Amino acid sequence: MKKVYAVGIGPGGREFFTDEAAAAINNADVIAGYTVYVDLVKDFFPGKETYTTSMKQEIERCRWAIETACQGKTVAMVCSGDAGIYGMAGLLMELAAQYEDVEIQVVSGVTAANSGAAVLGAPIGHDFCLISLSDLLTPWELIEKRLRCAAEADFAICLYNPKSKKRSDYLAKSCAILMEHKSPDTICGWVRNIGREGQEYNIVKLSELAEEPVDMFTTVFIGSATTKVINGRMVTPRGYEKHEDSYFRGND
């Protein structure tokens, strides 16, 4: 069977990707991916052939991986975080349907919602959602709708791709939308360069978030109405304290 692994590598450091991810890359003949992501892992697998493309060449990259697998080479398509969360797993499966006998094996990884949350504390300890502010593939009108619905439902919200040079005002616009239903005092946090050199973070109020120095390498966390700061950490309680007696009797 011709095989392409869709491998989530987490933030990129060797300590952050799983043994399954390492085994998949070891088993592959070629490491493929966005240039930045391949550069994060290639030194851990010396001697491996690599294939890289720049941003906005995802279709070409995935088609190359499938066609290379059809020629008899096993390919590991590496993706930052998890390959199935804003990664290449879905696109690979869509394209592979056009070929015969190509298996896409998805290898999960630690997405920024998980690794960033760990830096801040426990900001997604209860119901939450992920929303990307990138409108390259999703119309901004739909992103606005999702922000409003998530805020109205009082989800904790994790924002990917919060700001870029071309989208410098998108985070500010998002904060204004969220404050239609969330208090300006809602606890928020952000983490930049998660698990990489130069990692930094901060915890602020929603009314302050738009002025924070975030970029495309930053993951933003918007709390729910119950989110609080405990000993300098961002925490969204699940609600155990409301049922303390029954909980300690073992009736969760």
Side-chain angles (χ1 to χ4, degrees):
M1 174 67 76
K2 307 149 188 173
K3 178 174 285 190
V4 177
Y5 292 102
V7 185
I9 60 170
R14 178 61 184 88
E15 69 273 25
F16 289 104
F17 58 90
T18 66
D19 289 344
E20 183 185 13
I25 298 173
N26 269 323
N27 290 337
D29 300 299
V30 187
I31 303 172
Y34 174 45
T35 304
V36 173
Y37 304 153
V38 172
D39 286 346
L40 288 171
V41 302
K42 65 182 181 181
D43 290 344
F44 303 127
F45 304 93
K48 290 283 185 184
E49 179 184 347
T50 62
Y51 173 85
T52 65
T53 64
S54 60
M55 193 72 75
K56 299 183 182 180
Q57 292 183 309
E58 291 83 3
I59 293 176
E60 294 89 337
R61 186 189 314 151
C62 289
R63 192 177 297 281
W64 181 92
I66 293 167
E67 291 179 349
T68 298
C70 288
Q71 296 168 11
K73 291 185 176 181
T74 298
V75 180
M77 176 69 71
V78 295
C79 306
S80 179
D82 181 271
I85 300 177
Y86 303 118
M88 294 296 101
L91 178 56
L92 283 166
M93 290 182 177
E94 289 181 274
L95 292 174
Q98 303 169 15
Y99 297 80
E100 292 186 2
D101 301 324
V102 178
E103 178 188 359
I104 307 299
Q105 182 172 331
V106 182
V107 180
S108 62
V110 180
T111 189
N114 301 127
S115 53
V119 173
L120 292 172
I124 53 174
H126 203 352
D127 296 339
F128 74 100
C129 63
L130 300 179
I131 300 175
S132 170
L133 297 190
S134 172
D135 60 355
L136 289 176
L137 301 174
T138 305
W140 175 250
E141 293 75 17
L142 181 55
I143 296 172
E144 284 188 340
K145 181 178 180 180
R146 289 172 174 169
L147 288 166
R148 284 193 174 91
C149 290
E152 185 176 7
D154 196 32
F155 280 106
I157 304 168
C158 181
L159 297 179
Y160 284 13
N161 308 309
K163 184 184 291 189
S164 68
K165 291 181 179 179
K166 292 183 179 179
R167 298 181 293 103
S168 60
D169 62 339
Y170 277 29
L171 180 59
K173 290 164 65 174
S174 298
C175 289
I177 292 168
L178 294 172
M179 283 190 284
E180 293 173 8
H181 297 285
K182 287 181 175 285
S183 166
D185 293 328
T186 300
I187 301 300
C188 301
W190 56 265
V191 189
R192 181 192 289 117
N193 294 325
I194 301 169
R196 302 174 188 172
E197 184 178 353
Q199 176 179 290
E200 56 182 329
Y201 70 93
N202 197 19
I203 296 175
V204 298
K205 295 179 180 179
L206 180 55
S207 60
E208 304 167 330
L209 181 60
E211 301 303 319
E212 290 294 292
V214 307
D215 57 20
M216 285 292 287
F217 297 100
T218 305
T219 304
V220 173
F221 295 81
I222 316 291
S224 70
T226 62
T227 303
K228 62 186 75 175
V229 177
I230 301 176
N231 294 328
R233 311 300 295 281
M234 184 177 174
V235 179
T236 301
R238 190 177 174 195
Y240 292 113
E241 69 282 358
K242 298 176 184 177
H243 305 282
E244 184 174 358
D245 292 341
S246 62
Y247 177 66
F248 283 106
R249 288 200 304 270
N251 299 319
D252 189 4

